[in-house]
Amino acid sequence: GERRGGPIASCERMASLMTALAASVLGHGAMITPWTRNAIDRSLPQFINGSSPDTPCTCANGLEKEYPPRIEAEPVGSSAQCWSDPGFNYDSHPDNVKEVTNVATVGDCCDLCDTTPNCSFFTYTAEHQCFLKRSAAGRQPLKGGISGGTGVKPPMPPTLQGCDQGVRVGGGGQPCLWWSQGCSIGCKECATITGGTTPITGAPPHTDKIGFRTRYCDSTFNATLPKEAWTMNLAAVEGSVNDSYRFNPWRAPGYAPVVDACGQAGGKYKQTPIGGDSTYTTTVHATMGDFGTKVLPKGPAAATWVRGTQVQVTWGMRYNHGGGYQYRLCKADQELTEECFQQTPLDFDRTKQALIWNNGTRYNITGVFVSEGTFPVGSTWARNPIPRVADDNRGIQDEAGCPGPSGTSGPRCIQFPAPCPQDTGRLPWSTDGSGQGECSGDWTAGVISDEVIIPKDLAPGDYVLSWRWDCEETAQIWSNCADVTITA
């Protein structure tokens, strides 16, 4: 969790921390409608308004760990003792004592405050501006900002965490933190089950990406996905060395194993050494490593559907790993296993895929659906329509098109064209990770909507709806489960 209080670190230390965080491979997504068992904790106080002690699933600005940890009591600069308040601006212009530009580090800003008459507080910005202040009035969030002061830190008023979740409200809590890791095509089990305490990594030059040029078992099973449905590294020659994602789940949709059909909390056991955002906040409902089918109870039906009709389902991502997804049903009175869900995969109305922004704006898109090389054999999967914006293209085809270290470094960091015409690249308010455009990257601005067809011969009763997202960039699979009722 977040550590609070402490001496300000230098900008260099903070930059180092942020670089380390960015280097970790992040993923995460969740079924939004209908509401899921995995979102059981959405009404707990720490998750109100989309906020989270760790990784918010609905919106990026609910992230308490978005800024460096707060630290106190260590001398900074030449003599000053300062405390920090990362992520905030003391935005009261009448209280400004002085503005200084081109200040190298936040420690230097602290020193300036310590030696300037009437200065007790400061705000340091990502543009290396140092605002010296006599008051901490007007405290409000500022992306990349670090405020602080000299002497004893006064009590700070609570600040509303979270955001206007809009159409993503069903993803509140931690539904995006239920997944399986180290799951390769051709394997019977995922590496988190078989690996014990052995670190699970990819191969160079991206050991940080689970599944990068790596299969977690001995197998000769080859990828089955038609190339027109790829979402990553589209310039690579299939099966070549630079076809670095060829062992990952989306390259044979439905064939890779999962740890649990409704996901594993945090994507690993507590003792399993995996990097990235493998995290889960313990609640009264679950803790890291729990299986969704074992700890998430049956709840009231989140939707009632009539057999033989088409119904709307949506999902949203927190971080994007490409790939594709499928919706499936299992009778609620049966054991919830992959085998049960695989008996009833739902078909899509291929004309009804759409993007819905958080304010309700809808834009119909032409989706990519695949029934070739899938499991169950002949079942339909939908390609994730939001293009990944890679941090870099190291180890895949066309490295020069995105040399790194961030997704703004080249024109071909975006893995395929964005599906909405207003997308012109990364937005200035972009989030942690690789950022996002109007409909690209780590897209938290809306949901992906589909209509699925409820079979007309399905027996009425209570069911569990499964959403399974097979990633292509990593050996990871996200799983959520929702209670629904089917009527005649």
Side-chain angles (χ1 to χ4, degrees):
E2 183 183 15
R3 296 171 300 185
R4 297 188 180 274
I8 294 176
S10 69
C11 270
E12 287 82 359
R13 275 182 59 192
M14 293 184 174
S16 175
L17 171 62
M18 297 177 91
T19 300
L21 290 172
S24 300
V25 173
L26 306 171
H28 309 330
M31 179 160 54
I32 304 297
T33 52
W35 284 18
T36 67
R37 294 183 180 186
N38 306 77
I40 191 173
D41 49 14
R42 62 183 177 271
S43 60
L44 296 179
Q46 61 265 50
F47 301 106
I48 294 297
N49 299 318
S51 63
S52 172
D54 232 310
T55 296
C57 291
T58 53
C59 50
N61 62 338
L63 185 60
E64 293 180 7
K65 284 171 52 178
E66 190 170 346
Y67 306 101
R70 301 173 191 181
I71 39 185
E72 284 184 26
E74 178 183 299
V76 175
S78 60
S79 63
Q81 289 273 357
C82 286
W83 46 264
S84 63
D85 191 15
F88 285 96
N89 175 23
Y90 299 160
D91 191 23
S92 176
H93 296 287
D95 290 308
N96 284 358
V97 175
K98 188 177 182 180
E99 176 186 347
V100 184
T101 59
N102 299 317
V103 177
T105 72
V106 66
D108 292 337
C109 187
C110 172
D111 281 348
L112 287 171
C113 186
D114 191 52
T115 58
T116 300
N118 300 317
C119 180
S120 297
F121 304 90
F122 62 84
T123 293
Y124 183 75
T125 73
E127 292 75 31
H128 302 287
Q129 296 170 296
C130 178
F131 294 90
L132 306 179
K133 298 171 174 287
R134 60 174 58 90
S135 167
R139 180 175 180 260
Q140 61 179 318
L142 174 65
K143 173 74 174 181
I146 305 172
S147 290
T150 61
V152 179
K153 183 175 182 178
M156 289 296 178
T159 301
L160 177 67
Q161 295 289 327
C163 66
D164 179 2
Q165 300 171 87
V167 297
R168 292 170 65 99
V169 66
Q174 301 181 92
C176 70
L177 299 179
W178 294 84
W179 79 104
S180 303
Q181 299 199 73
C183 309
S184 305
I185 62 175
C187 297
K188 293 182 179 180
E189 292 183 301
C190 301
T192 47
I193 295 294
T194 61
T197 57
T198 302
I200 301 173
T201 65
H206 263 302
T207 56
D208 59 318
K209 289 186 180 182
I210 294 178
F212 191 85
R213 295 183 179 176
T214 302
R215 191 189 330 238
Y216 298 104
C217 69
D218 292 327
S219 174
T220 58
F221 184 87
N222 291 322
T224 59
L225 184 73
K227 193 167 185 181
E228 57 266 26
W230 287 20
T231 58
M232 301 289 301
N233 196 20
L234 275 67
V237 175
E238 188 169 3
S240 66
V241 172
N242 280 346
D243 185 10
S244 300
Y245 306 126
R246 62 190 179 276
F247 303 127
N248 290 341
W250 179 238
R251 294 298 297 277
Y255 279 97
V258 297
V259 174
D260 186 80
C262 293
Q264 182 181 27
K268 71 183 189 78
Y269 295 104
K270 291 180 180 178
Q271 72 272 19
T272 307
I274 299 179
D277 208 23
S278 298
T279 184
Y280 192 86
T281 298
T282 296
T283 70
V284 295
H285 303 295
T287 191
M288 172 81 77
D290 283 348
F291 288 2
T293 60
K294 305 301 182 184
V295 302
L296 299 176
K298 182 180 186 295
T304 299
W305 296 330
V306 178
R307 63 183 182 180
T309 63
Q310 296 181 190
V311 298
Q312 183 187 38
V313 287
T314 69
W315 71 279
M317 67 187 64
R318 179 63 173 87
Y319 300 106
N320 190 355
H321 277 340
Y325 57 96
Q326 187 181 65
Y327 294 92
R328 306 90 56 82
L329 288 172
C330 175
K331 286 292 295 290
D333 59 1
Q334 296 186 26
E335 183 180 2
L336 299 181
T337 63
E338 271 297 293
E339 291 74 20
C340 183
F341 286 120
Q342 288 166 349
Q343 292 176 17
T344 314
L346 300 180
D347 203 359
F348 294 87
D349 181 335
R350 302 187 181 201
T351 68
K352 296 294 176 64
Q353 192 172 79
L355 305 181
I356 303 178
W357 278 264
N358 286 340
N359 63 4
T361 300
R362 180 186 179 95
Y363 180 74
N364 294 330
I365 60 176
T366 301
V368 175
F369 300 87
V370 58
S371 302
E372 177 187 342
T374 60
F375 190 83
V377 175
S379 65
T380 302
W381 290 68
R383 185 185 74 164
N384 174 4
I386 303 298
R388 166 82 161 107
V389 178
D391 297 310
D392 60 70
N393 283 352
R394 287 184 299 126
I396 65 175
Q397 207 70 22
D398 191 22
E399 288 193 21
C402 184
S406 73
T408 61
S409 63
R412 289 180 293 282
C413 295
I414 189 168
Q415 297 296 294
F416 58 88
C420 65
Q422 66 268 36
D423 193 298
T424 57
R426 180 170 170 157
L427 295 166
W429 53 268
S430 282
T431 62
D432 48 352
S434 297
Q436 60 184 294
E438 286 286 353
C439 59
S440 62
D442 296 331
W443 193 56
T444 63
V447 298
I448 298 153
S449 174
D450 289 282
E451 288 193 12
V452 293
I453 301 167
I454 307 301
K456 60 183 179 182
D457 58 351
L458 197 66
D462 292 336
Y463 285 81
V464 176
L465 176 72
S466 159
W467 165 81
R468 170 173 162 157
W469 174 22
D470 282 17
C471 294
E472 184 170 9
E473 187 179 15
T474 54
Q476 298 172 315
I477 297 171
W478 267 261
S479 304
N480 277 186
C481 291
D483 292 290
V484 298
T485 296
I486 307 296
T487 63

